[in-house]
Amino acid sequence: MSIRTALLLLLAAVRVAIAPAAVAGPDARGAATFRERPPQDEIIYFLLPDRFENGDPSNDRGGLSGGRLTTGFDPTATGFYHGGDLKGLIARLDYIQGLGATAVWVAPVLRNKAVQGAAGAESAGYHGYWITDFTRVDPHFGTNQDFRALVDAVHGRGMKLYLDIVVNHTADVIAYRECPTRTCPYRSRADYPYQRRGGLHGEPINGGFLGDDAEHQTAENFARLTRPDYAYTPYVRQGEEHVKVPDWLNDPIYYHNRGNSTFSGESSTFGDFAGLDDLMTENPRALRGFIDIYGAWIDEYGVDGFRIDTARHVNPEFWQAFVPAVLARARARGIPNFHIFGEVSTSAAEAAPLALHTRVDQLPAVLDFALAAAVRATVAGSRGTEVLTHVFEQDALYEGGAAAARRLPTFISNHDEGRFAYFVRAARPGVAAAEVLRRVLLAHAMLFTLRGVPVVYYGDEQGFAGRGGDQAARQDMFASQVPSYNSEPPLGGGDAAAHGSFNREHPLYRAIARLASLRQSQVALRDGAQLVRADASAPGLFAVSRLDPHSGRELLIAFNTSTTPVSAQVSVNATSRRFASLVGSCEPAGGAPGSYHVSVPPLDYIVCASGTGNGGAARASIRSTRAASPTRTGTGSAICPHQARSRARRRSI
């Protein structure tokens, strides 16, 4: 790295450090009050235990003997266990809390099928999504006692623990006689009805079964479904007849058995997810079973929330019953703010596919893939900032409107799609490291100051970039033995291969910690209404106001996604006359009531706080905005000239 590049990296980090300091870590009122915090007050840190820290090498092979195809352990391969565990996570809680996180979301820790996949294409369940035993921690990660110790250690710091759960499928245990060694194509309910064996002209079976629609999802009706061989002939491989726990999960009658999903039409909820056994969640036995399974993890350990994997692939009636049952279980355990959010993956900067699952499925929240796509398009890519406005205009679509949107977990990187630094490099081949860093910092600034609950993907704070999604984005935080991981130069410098990646002086770690401190110090950033003030049809200005829900005090946040300076007038509340800088350079006063001048350097942002004493007027502004624009609840904007020109065009984005 050249001296010039190193200097630019340092300057990029230092400019974020001008944000005001606030205490990061436990709630200022003490650890005992962490249960009182609403979901929107959290800063979430998401990690895969296998890739975080190895606290106990004795469990690296999960108590199994043999080679990697038996134990699943191969620290040199991206698709196998590397040795991270719960004891290692406990040992690094200081590091996570020092970053400013208040909640830890862990990928599934339940016992997995160690290895699965066709010959020559095997991989391991290091990620946790191939569950066989829903009652015990995977031995590669430790024991149930270790999990209890983790929850207690997290709670002792005034933090929360979110558990990643799976309902849609189990590990691949069920096979089909018709295609034991190859992928089975999906067979529909119309061509292969439940009442005939192997197709329309097969022998009659399951007499009296009235189907799986919402009206007939009763125990009485499903008692008539006695044979699972309507589409394929399912069987359990020898030696795996009782591998799943609880034991009812071993019966093929509780699975759809229709072959692999195409992820469209009915196969989206009835098909096997890449061969994984797809549960028949329409059956009341499955519903009751999973309420018992995951309710026990609340009762026994007091976890604070669930992230639900593959939520869109489960029938809505299941969630409509599961969610209230789980929330009731949590309240009985003394957890009033249990956070449930589902994964509804989409690559579009559109809220409708996500909001549907809050209205129909009645999920309390979903991961905000739409905002992730918009930030990727505008900060990593070259789309205009009107894409961001378009996403926020749709907040009214969520059940509960803008207030519910403030509880959506937001992110810029994840374990499936990849890391934000990778997106920047992919969109801009040959881009200089200093520019990548500035864009990554800008994306994190959006993550922490725009509406929603920020989720930091482990390793982003150490400059991890990767070369794609899935395994390419699941690097080791401890010293890695994977050649492809070690050949990736981390953004901002460092030698993770030799020493691991827990450097609290890393420029990104420090920058994110300062953003977390800023967010914690300003209630407007956690739970304030958001008004879009300015956008552009090309890279450049994007500005919002966040309004303190108690005092009405206005924070104006202006971002510049272009590589040239931005200077513009933006709308503010007419009573917001004087401003102080929280980040960057802010003018002391507006030029006229309702108008404020911003100057934002390239790929940078500013946060300007109005003076006190204008709370009533600001709250009135929120009310009037809602009244004037009911379809933009909490996200109405004073339209700048370029906005007016682009409004019709925006509707088609």
Side-chain angles (χ1 to χ4, degrees), residues 354-380:
L354 306 174
L356 175 71
H357 294 271
T358 68
R359 288 194 175 272
V360 178
D361 297 4
Q362 296 176 21
L363 291 172
V366 291
L367 284 159
D368 196 347
F369 278 84
L371 183 56
V375 175
R376 189 182 310 165
T378 56
V379 182

Side-chain angles (χ1 to χ4, degrees), residues 601-624:
L603 300 177
D604 212 336
Y605 73 103
I606 61 174
V607 181
C608 307
S610 71
T612 58
N614 53 330
R619 285 190 292 272
S621 173
I622 299 173
R623 289 193 295 269
S624 64

Side-chain angles (χ1 to χ4, degrees), residues 38 98-99 198 289 453 491 511 624:
L99 188 65
V453 185
L491 191 63
S624 64

Side-chain angles (χ1 to χ4, degrees), residues 385-434:
T385 58
E386 63 185 6
V387 177
L388 293 160
T389 301
H390 178 70
V391 169
F392 293 130
E393 283 179 330
Q394 298 176 75
D395 280 357
L397 298 179
Y398 293 99
E399 184 69 29
R406 294 197 288 274
R407 295 191 293 272
L408 302 179
T410 56
F411 64 96
I412 58 173
S413 305
N414 79 0
H415 60 312
D416 289 326
E417 296 180 333
R419 298 182 182 275
F420 196 80
Y422 161 74
F423 299 136
V424 175
R425 289 173 174 171
R428 302 172 180 277
V431 64

Side-chain angles (χ1 to χ4, degrees), residues 212-223:
D212 51 35
D213 58 290
E215 180 184 358
H216 297 112
Q217 290 174 16
T218 65
E220 179 183 12
N221 182 47
F222 273 87

Side-chain angles (χ1 to χ4, degrees), residues 255-618:
Y255 298 83
H256 287 123
N257 305 308
R258 291 189 174 276
N260 272 3
S261 176
T262 65
F263 303 105
S264 63
E266 73 173 52
S267 83
S268 183
T269 50
F270 289 87
D272 294 342
F273 193 108
L276 298 168
D277 300 347
D278 193 70
L279 279 147
M280 186 177 280
T281 46
E282 299 83 9
N283 190 322
R285 179 67 184 90
L287 170 62
R288 186 172 70 253
F290 275 108
I291 291 173
D292 289 343
I293 285 169
Y294 289 120
W297 287 89
I298 298 173
D299 295 345
E300 185 69 18
Y301 302 101
V303 297
D304 303 284
F306 289 153
R307 179 268 190 181
I308 302 172
D309 180 65
T310 53
R312 71 182 308 165
H313 303 297
V314 175
N315 60 300
E317 298 82 14
F318 180 93
W319 299 128
Q320 291 164 9
F322 179 86
V323 167
V326 164
L327 292 176
R329 200 84 165 241
R331 286 192 296 271
R333 181 64 164 75
I335 310 171
N337 291 300
F338 196 85
H339 198 186
I340 297 177
F341 50 99
E343 179 203 25
V344 180
S345 180
T346 178
S347 60
E350 296 287 345
L354 306 174
L356 175 71
H357 294 271
T358 68
R359 288 194 175 272
V360 178
D361 297 4
Q362 296 176 21
L363 291 172
V366 291
L367 284 159
D368 196 347
F369 278 84
L371 183 56
V375 175
R376 189 182 310 165
T378 56
V379 182
S382 56
R383 296 282 300 277
T385 58
E386 63 185 6
V387 177
L388 293 160
T389 301
H390 178 70
V391 169
F392 293 130
E393 283 179 330
Q394 298 176 75
D395 280 357
L397 298 179
Y398 293 99
E399 184 69 29
R406 294 197 288 274
R407 295 191 293 272
L408 302 179
T410 56
F411 64 96
I412 58 173
S413 305
N414 79 0
H415 60 312
D416 289 326
E417 296 180 333
R419 298 182 182 275
F420 196 80
Y422 161 74
F423 299 136
V424 175
R425 289 173 174 171
R428 302 172 180 277
V431 64
E435 183 174 332
V436 178
L437 180 60
R438 294 188 74 85
R439 290 183 183 276
V440 170
L441 285 168
L442 184 59
H444 277 96
M446 289 185 175
L447 181 66
F448 277 82
T449 59
L450 296 175
R451 69 100 180 100
V453 185
V455 178
V456 176
Y457 181 44
Y458 86 98
D460 272 14
E461 77 280 5
Q462 294 294 328
F464 287 7
R467 296 187 173 93
D470 198 77
Q471 296 176 20
R474 300 174 182 180
Q475 299 95 324
D476 301 314
M477 287 288 282
F478 52 95
S480 182
Q481 300 179 48
V482 178
S484 62
Y485 293 166
N486 292 339
S487 67
E488 300 170 12
L491 191 63
D495 187 3
H499 307 297
S501 300
F502 296 97
N503 177 15
R504 299 195 194 196
E505 297 304 314
H506 191 286
L508 277 165
Y509 183 96
R510 293 174 59 202
I512 292 172
R514 299 300 297 190
L515 283 165
S517 178
L518 173 66
R519 178 181 168 85
Q520 293 291 59
S521 71
Q522 303 294 326
V523 67
L525 297 180
R526 302 194 304 275
D527 198 25
Q530 176 174 289
L531 310 177
V532 175
R533 297 300 196 182
D535 64 7
S537 59
L541 180 64
F542 182 68
V544 303
S545 290
R546 302 295 306 274
L547 305 180
D548 187 306
H550 307 298
S551 69
R553 180 172 181 250
E554 180 174 7
L555 297 188
L556 180 69
I557 309 155
F559 307 91
N560 181 3
T561 65
S562 75
T563 55
T564 58
V566 162
S567 177
Q569 294 293 135
V570 299
S571 296
V572 293
N573 286 334
T575 52
S576 295
R577 301 292 180 86
R578 303 197 64 80
F579 287 84
S581 171
L582 298 183
V583 177
S585 178
C586 299
E587 297 187 3
S595 182
Y596 182 73
H597 183 262
V598 297
S599 297
V600 191
L603 300 177
D604 212 336
Y605 73 103
I606 61 174
V607 181
C608 307
S610 71
T612 58
N614 53 330

